[in-house]
Amino acid sequence: MNYIQFFAMRPEVSLLCVYLVLFLYDLFTTGHTRRLYHPLACISMVVLTALTLSDTGSFTLFGGMYESNAMIVFMKAILAFGSMLVVLLSHNWLRAEHTFYKQGEFYVLLLSTLLGMYFMISARHFLLLFIGMELASLPLACLVAFDKYRHNSAEAGIKYILTSMFSSAVMLYGISFLYGTTGTLYFDDMAAGITGSPMQMFALVLFFAGLGFKISLVPFHLWTADSYQGAPTAVTAFLSVISKGAAVFTLFVVLTKVFGGMVEQWQFIIYATTVASITIANLMAMKQHFLKRFMAFSSISQAGYIMLAVIGGRATDMTAMVYYIIVYMVANMAVFAIIGSIEKVLHCAVRREHCRGLYGTNPKLTLVMTLALFSLAGIPPFAGFFSKFFVFMSAFGAGFWVLVFIALINTVISLYYYLLIVKAMYMERCDTPVPPIKCDPYTRITLMLCVAGIVLLGVCSFVYAGIDSISFG
């Protein structure tokens, strides 16, 4: 083997360098120097995002197991940027007495998960894909259970790891059927052997079920609400966006490159799960009182909207999908940053009732929360409106008119439960409202970046055009 190939993997090598810097800093520093740990982590994530974007060229490594091109690099940069936002908004939580000494563990686990997602995105061989998926899943289970003595975090971690193990086993079982019928694990070689036989159809269902867990699609969503509620808020933000984005991109690549000969079969599966995800999640979100459980069902619904862009399998569909992931990321991160800020003051899980009268005591946070919720609901002129428009046009262009109509009806339903929070913040009174919150500089930076994304991504057309120029399908 030519080991020089490893150095061509610039995003992964850059991530490992950041990993080592943070690990060694945690190992050798004590006392007052520990205060610089979080600033170092934030700067390192900025550098990682820049180095990831600087990777150029299209190439394959290790006999075709690993591929890199402009879109793959851009997707990795999106995940790195989202991870940077998670690190920023985790400052309040990590400086608490019960987590201050565990900062190093948090960063190491986060970067390990991100490395696994990098492998998933670049994989062109099912063995590398499975290794990446496990590398992303196991540290993430540790992150979910990070506050093992608080907030039901241990219970959330157990539920996540058990369902993760089951989904991985199901996916691996499907991969074994594919290998048995085609005699290879390479995506390109396997595509030539796909005939649509019953065994391959069964393998497709099992593989989709395995990734459906990561994306939180119905009926693979039952872990989501409990894990979101029990996990630390920063970890919940990571689960809701970064993990979902990597899984959706991987699913798109596998469906188009491996199962291109079974397009009718997997389009039917996506059709059914999309309708179920959007409808059931919207109905369940109306009944939630805890905001993190509310955002869990919101994320299930948003996953269904993302699948509108996957169902076509064309390059334009990938453009809509990646654009939706970016917009969804900044809006969701803003909501979780505000939830984390309120949790810091109340020292308890945030309920919808806690939002009553929030405008009177925290008008700026209320405005940011409103912008984020409007974007998630798809209200113009915010970026969420344009992202939903593009995924609707994607599905419509692929001929799924009824699916688009169902999604539109559900969008109207989603307006109701998003506006319930807005109504509580502006119109409902409370004798004991949330006291004024002074956000730390890291949270302010997070919110400013998110607001800039919510406002500008919808009007800066070069973002969508740039993604479209590097998409494939």
Side-chain angles (χ1 to χ4, degrees):
M1 177 185 290
N2 182 10
Y3 292 100
I4 300 298
Q5 294 180 91
F6 285 103
F7 293 99
M9 304 164 63
R10 185 179 298 177
E12 287 78 10
V13 172
S14 302
L15 194 154
L16 285 175
C17 290
V18 171
Y19 181 102
L20 288 174
V21 168
L22 295 179
F23 177 77
L24 293 175
Y25 189 91
D26 181 51
L27 192 63
F28 293 109
T29 57
T30 57
H32 294 293
T33 54
R34 299 284 296 178
R35 297 178 181 177
L36 300 175
Y37 201 5
H38 191 75
L40 176 64
C42 295
I43 294 171
S44 299
M45 294 306 298
V46 173
V47 172
L48 173 62
T49 305
L51 290 175
T52 301
L53 272 176
S54 67
D55 191 20
T56 56
S58 299
F59 55 87
T60 58
L61 300 173
F62 310 112
M65 293 181 68
Y66 176 98
E67 182 180 2
S68 180
N69 56 45
M71 175 53 81
I72 290 173
V73 168
F74 183 69
M75 191 64 201
K76 290 178 180 178
I78 293 172
L79 300 183
F81 178 76
S83 301
M84 180 195 73
L85 294 179
V86 171
V87 171
L88 285 169
L89 65 87
S90 66
H91 177 253
N92 271 333
W93 167 60
L94 287 177
R95 71 178 180 179
E97 183 180 355
H98 67 284
T99 52
F100 182 75
Y101 67 97
K102 297 192 293 183
Q103 287 186 74
E105 298 171 27
F106 175 75
Y107 300 137
V108 166
L109 290 170
L110 185 73
L111 291 174
S112 298
T113 299
L114 187 59
L115 180 62
M117 294 175 185
Y118 276 18
F119 286 145
M120 288 172 61
I121 290 172
S122 285
R124 294 300 178 265
H125 187 279
F126 273 109
L127 180 60
L128 181 60
L129 171 60
F130 187 75
I131 290 173
M133 182 174 174
E134 290 305 290
L135 181 57
S137 299
L138 296 179
L140 197 51
C142 298
L143 287 173
V144 172
F146 205 79
D147 281 344
K148 58 184 178 181
Y149 299 118
R150 294 168 176 261
H151 311 309
N152 302 318
S153 189
E155 178 187 352
I158 291 172
K159 290 182 178 179
Y160 181 85
I161 192 62
L162 289 177
T163 50
S164 178
M165 289 168 56
F166 182 74
S167 68
S168 297
V170 167
M171 191 179 82
L172 189 60
Y173 193 39
I175 293 173
S176 68
F177 279 114
L178 289 174
Y179 179 73
T181 56
T182 61
T184 182
L185 290 175
Y186 285 93
F187 288 4
D188 292 338
D189 297 338
M190 187 176 286
I194 294 295
T195 59
S197 64
M199 187 173 290
Q200 291 177 349
M201 182 62 197
F202 186 53
L204 169 63
V205 173
L206 293 178
F207 177 81
F208 187 88
L211 276 183
F213 160 80
K214 293 290 183 188
I215 308 172
S216 303
L217 292 172
V218 175
F220 317 108
H221 68 293
L222 298 178
W223 63 275
T224 310
D226 291 331
S227 294
Y228 277 38
Q229 181 66 27
T233 302
V235 177
T236 305
F238 188 89
L239 267 174
S240 69
V241 180
I242 314 303
S243 177
K244 196 184 302 293
V248 168
F249 188 88
T250 302
L251 178 64
F252 186 98
V253 170
V254 173
L255 291 180
T256 54
K257 288 190 173 293
V258 178
F259 294 104
M262 299 174 62
V263 61
E264 293 182 359
Q265 289 89 335
W266 57 257
Q267 282 183 338
F268 173 77
I269 295 173
I270 292 177
Y271 195 111
T273 54
T274 299
V275 172
S277 298
I278 297 176
T279 305
I280 293 176
N282 281 341
L283 294 176
M284 293 301 296
M286 296 180 191
K287 300 181 179 181
Q288 304 307 313
H289 293 281
F290 290 99
L291 283 196
K292 286 167 74 172
R293 295 184 72 88
F294 168 84
M295 291 304 296
F297 286 102
S298 169
S299 75
I300 296 170
S301 175
Q302 298 292 340
Y305 287 114
I306 296 175
M307 297 307 290
L308 292 173
V310 178
I311 196 168
R314 302 163 300 175
T316 53
D317 301 323
M318 175 175 278
T319 304
M321 178 190 72
V322 174
Y323 181 80
Y324 196 101
I325 291 172
I326 299 172
V327 173
Y328 172 59
M329 178 179 68
V330 293
N332 234 38
M333 287 292 181
V335 173
F336 280 111
I338 295 172
I339 291 176
S341 299
I342 297 175
E343 281 180 342
K344 179 193 172 186
V345 174
L346 299 180
H347 304 290
C348 66
V350 181
R351 300 172 63 92
R352 188 193 301 164
E353 291 78 8
H354 293 141
C355 294
R356 292 174 179 170
L358 188 65
Y359 178 74
T361 55
N362 296 275
K364 294 181 181 178
L365 282 182
T366 303
L367 176 61
V368 175
M369 186 73 155
T370 304
L371 295 179
L373 292 174
F374 279 2
S375 184
L376 289 172
I379 296 176
F382 305 108
F385 167 77
F386 296 96
S387 63
K388 276 191 169 58
F389 173 78
F390 288 132
V391 296
F392 287 163
M393 289 301 297
S394 177
F396 191 86
F400 296 95
W401 309 315
V402 177
L403 180 60
V404 173
F405 179 72
I406 295 172
L408 283 170
I409 294 176
N410 275 280
T411 301
V412 176
I413 296 174
S414 70
L415 284 173
Y416 169 74
Y417 61 76
Y418 285 124
L419 290 177
L420 281 178
I421 299 178
V422 177
K423 175 191 172 188
M425 292 189 297
Y426 287 96
M427 303 176 66
E428 295 181 6
R429 294 189 178 187
C430 180
D431 295 332
T432 57
V434 175
I437 300 172
K438 185 178 180 181
C439 295
D440 63 276
Y442 298 97
T443 303
R444 292 178 187 176
I445 293 172
T446 304
L447 293 176
M448 285 191 292
L449 290 172
C450 291
V451 169
I454 292 170
V455 175
L456 297 179
L457 284 173
V459 296
C460 297
S461 60
F462 64 86
V463 176
Y464 186 87
I467 298 172
D468 189 54
S469 65
I470 58 177
S471 294
F472 60 88

